[in-house]
Amino acid sequence: MNKPVIGVLAVQGAFIEHRQILAKLGVETFEIRQKADLLNNPLDGLILPGGESTVQGKLLRELDLFDLLLEKIQKGLPVFGTCAGLILLASHLSNDGNTYFGTLPVTVQRNAYGRQLGSFFTEQPFRGEVVPMTFIRAPLIESAGEGVEVLAQDPETKQIYAVRYKNQLGVSFHPELNDDTRIHQYFVDMM
Ligand code: GLN
């Protein structure tokens, strides 16, 4: 695809930073705040940003965006979920009775790093290239289902940080908070 247009869910959380990174890559974006935004824009990809998954899940329902987005994801729209966005995509949450879109076959534990380690920075390989990773009250990908490709995994602890399943990319950290465009470029290349 020559010039994709990416919708960034903008009901809550760190959506501006995603737009800034994508602007650096010369990719056009728009904010999804209400249904009209989806009806009035071309949509080649979707970003579900970090923030608070419970709040985002509730707002998606209240704003009547949930079913529309779910259908698009199920039909193959490329989607990139970061942190809370990963939680929205996950098919299982091990410490929470809720699930949201549930389209990505992974089991995720919310707020897995405890209070002390709630936020931290590391550099780890993503598809073999070392990239900066900022974790903020991050979820942990406990296990990945069949057909899920692991894109980033700590070589020592074996903790999984990034996965891809067909049209869905999920990472437990915040790639939009560092000055590195490679993970967003990977997502753009999925289109
Ligand atoms: N702890 C948040 C949640 O459970 C996710 C944190 C984040 O997106 N940085 O939704």
Side-chain angles (χ1 to χ4, degrees), residues 81 83 86 104-109 112-113 120 122 124-127 133 135 138-165 168-174:
C83 207
L86 163 73
L104 178 64
V106 290
T107 298
V108 163
Q109 184 189 342
Y113 296 92
F120 60 97
T122 181
Q124 298 269 346
F126 173 89
R127 300 178 73 240
M133 298 183 181
F135 292 76
L140 170 67
I141 303 171
E142 291 183 332
S143 61
E146 213 181 300
V148 175
E149 187 186 353
V150 173
L151 302 177
Q153 183 170 32
D154 188 295
E156 278 162 32
T157 64
K158 300 290 172 211
Q159 286 186 352
I160 301 170
Y161 298 138
V163 291
R164 168 151 182 202
Y165 179 69
Q168 303 174 63
L169 175 63
V171 305
S172 55
F173 54 97
H174 281 262

Side-chain angles (χ1 to χ4, degrees), residues 50-54 82-84 87 110-111 136-139 174:
E52 197 56 44
S53 54
T54 48
T82 62
C83 207
I87 295 170
R110 290 185 60 205
N111 300 324
I136 303 172
R137 296 184 61 236
H174 281 262

Side-chain angles (χ1 to χ4, degrees), residues 3-83:
K3 285 210 158 190
V5 179
I6 296 180
V8 183
L9 183 68
V11 295
Q12 191 267 339
F15 50 88
I16 293 162
E17 293 83 351
H18 279 288
R19 296 194 67 193
Q20 288 166 346
I21 296 260
L22 288 165
K24 275 194 203 168
L25 292 174
V27 174
E28 195 182 324
T29 59
F30 67 95
E31 294 182 2
I32 303 171
R33 295 174 177 273
Q34 52 183 334
K35 228 172 167 174
D37 299 324
L38 281 176
L39 304 176
N40 298 332
N41 285 288
L43 184 69
D44 302 311
L46 169 67
I47 289 195
L48 302 174
E52 197 56 44
S53 54
T54 48
V55 176
Q56 294 179 359
K58 189 165 172 277
L59 287 170
L60 281 168
R61 292 272 185 207
E62 283 175 11
L63 295 163
D64 208 14
L65 287 167
F66 188 88
D67 291 336
L68 205 57
L69 289 177
L70 175 61
E71 195 192 329
K72 287 178 187 293
I73 295 168
Q74 284 170 335
K75 282 190 175 158
L77 177 73
V79 58
F80 182 15
T82 62
C83 207

